[in-house]
Amino acid sequence: MTQQLCRSRLICCLIVALGVLGVAHALPFLYTNARPPLNWTQPVDEWIVEAQPRSISPHIELKTFANRTNSEPSESDDEFLERLRQMKRNRTSPRMLWYDTSVGDGLVYPPFVDKALKLFNLKQVAFEIENSVMSKVSCTACKAGAGLLQHYIKAGKTEAEIMKMIYQFCVNLNIQSPRVCEGVSHLFGSEVIYVLQRVNLGPDEICSFVIGDGCGDVYNPYHEWEVVFPPVPKPPVLAELPIPKEAAPFFKVLHISDTHYDPHYVEGSNADCNEPLCCRLSSGRPANPNAAAGKWGDYRKCDTPKRTVDNMLSHIADTHKDIDYILWTGDLPPHDVWNQTKEENLEIIKETVRQMTEMFPGVPIFPALGNHESAPVNSFPPPYVNQVDISINWLYDELDVQWRRWLPQSVSHTVRRGAFYSVLVRPGFRIISLNMNYCNNKNWWLLLNSTDPATELQWFIYELQSAEFSNEKVHVIGHIPPGHSDCLKVWSRNFYRIISRYENTITAQFYGHTHYDEFEMFYDPHDLTHANSIAYIGPSVSPYYDLNPGYRIYYVDGDHDTTTRLVIDHESWIMNLKEANLYDYPIWYKLYSARAAYNMKALRPADWDDLINELTNNQELFDLYYKNYWKNSPARPTCDAECKKRLLCDCKSGRSHDRKHFCADVESKIDEGSSKSWKSWFYRGLSNSYSLLSSITYLPKYLLGYG
């Protein structure tokens, strides 16, 4: 996500480290297409989509809320916002990564890798891995590391020997602390070795798969596939979607995402540690008072303390008493990805489910699975990986038990198979929850075979076709946005086709994962001027990192004869973390409402497309969007032209690893504006300089060009 998260990319960093060592020794085998000795065949999957039970009875009985209106911010809100505007910004201290920036790089490398480190800039690679900027990770280093691992596997090294080697390299290169290196090598090493023993892929294909276009678009027949659509013509598309009626009934919907509750958060502990997650007793003592973790959270690499989660849920329950249902889009455990266990992650899931049930009794909750719920993180084996010790059944079976508090019995089979489901919420209105970890290119199991894992997309088509036949409208929820770089290109491409085919049925999509407050657009693949769907990406509760905690409220066109089931408006609410820690009094307030802030007449796909054009041309409006994107964090960096292009390109790209296809127009306009701005600044500077010189009458005329 963004700012993104430190996940199984730690093992990618170790592969990079292996690559550095491999190049340092000039090993000749690194770029060969090594083939593993195991002959592995995927078991036959006899699961039949059409044979599964479906939710066909409305799941929600509506409550009556008297005098419920979508009002403007109250006077107290305005006063509070004005007080925030008047606050003097206090810069936070620089973040630590894996080295101490105050004393040089703080790292001591073995002499034999010094030259290689300069070549590959391993510190930068490590930073990019931790921040999910995988397209920038050294492709050469990835290939070298993958080739070296495959060489050791082919040479007959045992799993224990390879994992010990990974640990030693991690420690010797100071990639992480010894305990993090040990945890990563044991948690991730076994899985990666298991997969690499069974794939007929070389380093080129592996790194193209994991990193994406940043490592070349390598053709791989094992990872080229297409879903099958039923022989039903696409219904005619309206030239313009109707705007939802004013004063008509609506649903009020809460969206919570990326809680990352940390049960081991300790106020006053070290927030500037050299590990992926800080603010714990194990993080050590802070070097100075500024390095101490705040009571309500911290802008540095720290997750959400229990008191902040409790305070947020209490605030929501008191402030939004008329919520009709809740969207809960995953990522419950913290970022201590090196020492997580299945048992601890399950306990966090149970505890948060229990808390949500107690805080919102009788309110239906529709959850989606995040990439952090598994242990190790990002590890979601498809159903054909069914050995007891590596199967994902331990998680999916428990999810079925926990989610049954809110979901009907009919979804049990698909939840246990792949953690996805479909529920008829109201007559003519359905919610489909997808497991987006089957598009996660950090899910190493997909290297075995990425062809529609768990048959999820084919099932998705079946559900959408049934909804189309029944004249139902559908909202789609998930965790990883399909246009994000973490989503596998071939999966995202197929998903994009599905959205286009069923654009009359799908009226909104909802995701999390990035931690930012943003959105993502979908267009007709054959006509990029026709916007056909909008994905709302909700803000994180976790401040990890440099962010304020936040949540979203949506107003959805409700039950009436001409309902569109479109989102009418949405609000983003945040807590100013700096003030909460300063005054020991957290205050949650509405940061903005979409229609009012961006002057939108509606929130249809075409309206969001128009907004992108406005953001491209109107710098003041973009600055407002950028502030909201960062949830008004005082730690947000400045945004130059390249930053602006990246953010708006993210908005345009509902299909991953295909930015050139969607972003050329936006980027050219920004470049043109930057050029005009630069020329204006340059000529204005020349004019001012000339005026100044002309006003100094005693300067010799030849200096002014007169003589």
Side-chain angles (χ1 to χ4, degrees), residues 24 87 108-109 122 168 263 313 321 393 456 464 471 485 507 563 565 595 647 683:
M87 280 188 61
V108 179
Y109 300 113
L122 183 60
Q168 290 174 340
L313 295 180
K321 298 179 182 296
N393 290 345
E456 180 180 32
L464 290 172
N471 199 29
S485 59
T507 57
T563 183
R565 305 296 184 188
R595 287 178 63 182
L647 261 61
Y683 288 121

Side-chain angles (χ1 to χ4, degrees), residues 214-278:
C215 203
D217 189 8
V218 179
Y219 174 75
N220 185 348
Y222 292 98
H223 300 288
E224 288 294 333
W225 49 273
E226 291 187 351
V227 292
V228 178
F229 291 93
V232 180
K234 179 179 177 178
V237 176
L238 294 175
E240 185 178 26
L241 289 176
I243 295 177
K245 284 186 175 180
E246 296 290 338
F250 61 84
F251 299 143
K252 186 174 182 180
V253 182
L254 168 65
H255 184 188
I256 294 177
S257 194
D258 297 88
T259 310
H260 292 292
Y261 155 57
D262 186 1
H264 303 294
Y265 186 100
V266 175
E267 177 188 358
S269 60
N270 186 14
D272 262 349
C273 73
N274 62 345
E275 293 182 341
L277 184 66
C278 305

